[in-house]
Structure formats: structure tokens, C-alpha cells
Amino acid sequence: MKATYKKMVKMAMTTVMAGGIMMMGQSAMAAPAQPQVHVDSATKDMPGHVASKVLDVKADKTEVGLISNVVYEQVPSRGYANVPMQMDILQPKTKEKKPAILFVTGGGFINANKDNGIQLRMHLAENGYVVGSINYRVAPTAKFPEPLKDVKAAIRYLKANADRFGIDPARVGIVGGSAGGYLTAMAGTTSGTTTFDKGENLQVTSDVKAAVDLYGLSDLTQVGADFSEEVQAKHRSAGATEALWVNGSPVFGGRDGGILADKQAAEAANPIHYISKTSAPMLLMHGTADTVVSPSQTDLLYQALQKSGIPSERYLVTGAAHGGKYWVQEPVLKIITDFFDQYLKK
């Protein structure tokens, strides 16, 4: 009898425990109940109560967060052993992994303010892209290819930290304007190679799936080709920023003279020189009223891409100058976004 009683007690305890576990499991799996809100309950019965207006909103716009001054690499620069290069990241607040786009600002090869391009960057972020904007080394304290190495380091950083920022590392693109367009073209044409990969995060590649070059330079020996002879002469001078970009400062060991002083170095700094079967699809856009960088610059690159069979498109924007309000208008932003969607989302 005692043995039978003990067996019955044990079975009962087992049943209770199993039931408890099942109940815990069911409650853990169930979605948490939303708290009930009795709107304005504290005021609705007040004498002379005035009703508020009600606004029904369709919540279909993505919320975007900003992460500022992320250090993506540390590099030597003249007079400094270790200079942090920084990136600002716009991050859509969604759960799934998203494609990423690196924005490379312009600055005439002599400055690189990562605060620029905020309307384009925000537009891309609201359309589901993690968007990083970087500063990079500039002339005359740096010269090619050091800034390109910075750009590639930034691409690798995003891929290496994909989980941290909610990025799909297999879907990364790049966009830039002016000097940033040039660096974008360099990153796009050299995609699939490791020629300029130096520094950190070398366990991932700097390849991109799509590149958008906005009024960028390509052949640095012909920057003023569409302009007057007077302007062209200035671009051939030793003081032209493209000459400092390629030659450096003669005071600090660089070559004296203009962009034609070292034709081999100028050729090595031309994205056309690197087009191959692994080059990324590219969208090029240029304004017809650009008086800073000849519209011919993007056309030279476009013709070379077409001849090599690289998927590419080029648009001339009527009346657009070098930067400015034309470049933040919806038709322009839509063309850029649609191009990235084609290669990074589909």
C-alpha cells in the first residue's frame, strides 16, 4: 500500500510539473498583451470639456537614426602618426538586414566634409539603406592613392561590422559627387580587385555592387576640356588641385609642375585605366551648366564603360550646376534610388 501511495504521489507531482512547464511555454510563446489606454480619461468629464482634433496617420515611413563620428580607420598623416578617419551612419530602424551605401563627399581634392549631402543620404536611408558618410585624406598633405585607400577601408568597415549596423554585407553600393564622384568611380572600376586594399578589416572585400558618380572627374588631364582656353590653362598649372592630388607638393617631396608633369601618374589616377569585367555597374549624372568640372569628364568614363560592356547609364541634367538645388530634386533622387534598388534589392 505504501509503495502504491508513493507511486501515485510521484505521478501526480510529475503531472503538475509538466502542466506548469507547458503553461510557462505557452505564456512565453504568446505575444505580450498591449496595455489598454483610456485616452483622456482624466479630463473628459470636466465641465466645459473641449474635444481635441483627431489625426489618423498611416505609419509607412521608416524611422532613421544617426550614429555620429564612428572611427572606421586610423592612418598616418603628415605630422601625425595616427589620425582617426570618421564616418556618420544613418540607420533605418527596421529588424531585417539592409543593403548599405557609402556616400563620398566632394571638396575639390582639398577638403572632405562628411556633413555634406544630407538630403540625398536621408532619402536613401528612408528608402531602406544604411548610409555611411566619410571624411578622407586630402591634398596637399595626402595624394593619390591614399584617399582611395580610405574609401575602400570604409567599405570594408561597413562589411566587417554588418551585424552591428544591420547590414547585408553582400549588398553594398557607393555614391559621391565631384571629387567624391571621382573616388566613387575609382571604387567602382576597381571592384573585384585588391589593388588599393590596405589597412584594417582585410578579411572582407571592398567590392561594391553598384556605383553612382555625380559630376565626378575621370581623366584628370582634361578637367577643363569644355571650358575656355583661359580656364584650361589654369587646370594645367602647378597650382591646380588635381596636380596636387597626383603629384603632391614639391616642397615635401612631390613632383613640381602641373597634371602633365607625370603622365604615367596621371594615367594611374584615371578610373578608365581600371575598367575590367569585375567593375561594378555605374550610373553617371552631370549638369549641363557645370562650370567647375567639364561634363565631358563623366562622358569619357561612360563611353569607356559602354565599350567594355559594363552595365552603365548616363544622364545630363538640364540647367544643373556643380552641386546645388537641382541635385536634391525628386526626379534626380528617384533615378539614383531606382538604380541602387536594381542592383542592391532585386
Side-chain angles (χ1 to χ4, degrees):
M1 288 291 291
K2 288 184 178 180
T4 302
Y5 176 77
K6 287 181 179 180
K7 187 175 181 180
M8 291 174 64
V9 170
K10 185 176 181 181
M11 289 176 63
M13 291 178 66
T14 301
T15 302
V16 170
M17 290 175 64
I21 291 171
M22 287 178 66
M23 290 177 65
M24 288 173 62
Q26 289 173 352
S27 62
M29 289 187 292
Q34 291 295 321
Q36 190 173 6
V37 179
H38 301 284
V39 178
D40 294 347
S41 61
T43 60
K44 68 178 182 178
D45 295 328
M46 284 183 174
H49 179 269
V50 179
S52 299
K53 296 177 180 179
V54 175
L55 180 64
D56 291 323
V57 176
K58 184 179 180 181
D60 55 1
K61 191 172 185 178
T62 302
E63 185 182 4
V64 176
L66 170 64
I67 307 171
S68 301
N69 300 322
V70 176
V71 175
Y72 69 88
E73 68 169 352
Q74 298 192 65
V75 292
S77 185
R78 185 171 298 279
Y80 301 91
N82 213 33
V83 177
M85 294 288 105
Q86 295 182 326
M87 176 190 303
D88 291 344
I89 297 175
L90 293 175
Q91 186 179 36
K93 294 187 177 181
T94 56
K95 293 181 179 180
E96 70 276 4
K97 292 289 185 71
K98 297 161 287 294
I101 297 172
L102 183 70
F103 174 80
V104 188
T105 186
F109 294 141
I110 55 175
N111 60 65
N113 184 355
K114 62 182 171 60
D115 293 346
N116 293 333
I118 185 62
Q119 286 170 282
L120 170 59
R121 290 190 282 136
M122 181 59 76
H123 180 84
L124 291 169
E126 288 177 344
N127 279 274
Y129 292 95
V130 175
V131 183
S133 178
I134 62 168
N135 58 17
Y136 51 87
R137 287 172 285 182
V138 295
T141 54
K143 67 177 186 177
F144 182 84
E146 290 172 335
L148 178 58
K149 293 178 182 178
D150 296 340
V151 169
K152 287 182 170 281
I155 295 168
R156 296 195 309 272
Y157 179 86
L158 288 174
K159 290 183 178 182
N161 292 274
D163 290 340
R164 176 182 174 188
F165 299 115
I167 293 170
D168 178 352
R171 296 184 291 156
V172 176
I174 186 169
V175 59
S178 192
Y182 161 83
L183 286 167
T184 291
M186 288 295 303
T189 54
T190 61
S191 185
T193 74
T194 58
T195 307
F196 299 104
D197 281 299
K198 307 292 180 184
E200 303 167 24
N201 299 310
L202 293 174
Q203 75 278 11
V204 294
T205 74
S206 60
D207 297 351
V208 292
K209 297 292 186 182
V212 176
D213 174 358
L214 306 176
Y215 45 88
L217 305 89
S218 57
D219 185 344
L220 301 183
T221 68
Q222 301 186 64
V223 176
D226 295 330
F227 307 143
S228 68
E229 176 54 35
E230 180 184 3
V231 172
Q232 292 185 47
K234 291 178 180 178
H235 280 287
R236 291 192 296 267
S237 72
T241 54
E242 62 263 33
L244 295 173
W245 182 261
V246 172
N247 300 331
S249 169
V251 175
F252 295 103
R255 181 183 289 271
D256 195 10
I259 190 63
L260 297 174
D262 188 339
K263 291 184 179 180
Q264 186 175 357
E267 172 68 15
N270 186 339
I272 296 171
H273 181 70
Y274 299 96
I275 295 174
S276 72
K277 64 181 181 180
T278 65
S279 295
M282 195 174 300
L283 168 67
L284 304 103
M285 303 182 78
H286 219 123
T288 61
D290 193 330
T291 59
V292 178
V293 173
S294 295
S296 291
Q297 286 289 291
T298 50
D299 198 30
L300 285 166
L301 178 54
Y302 176 59
Q303 300 304 324
L305 291 166
Q306 286 285 302
K307 287 178 182 178
S308 297
I310 303 301
S312 50
E313 303 174 29
R314 180 175 184 259
Y315 287 84
L316 287 170
V317 182
T318 305
H322 195 74
K325 63 182 181 181
Y326 278 85
W327 298 101
V328 299
Q329 303 308 313
E330 184 60 32
V332 173
L333 298 177
K334 185 177 188 306
I335 287 172
I336 295 170
T337 306
D338 286 350
F339 183 80
F340 279 128
D341 286 351
Q342 180 180 354
Y343 291 101
L344 301 183
K345 287 186 177 180
K346 295 180 180 178

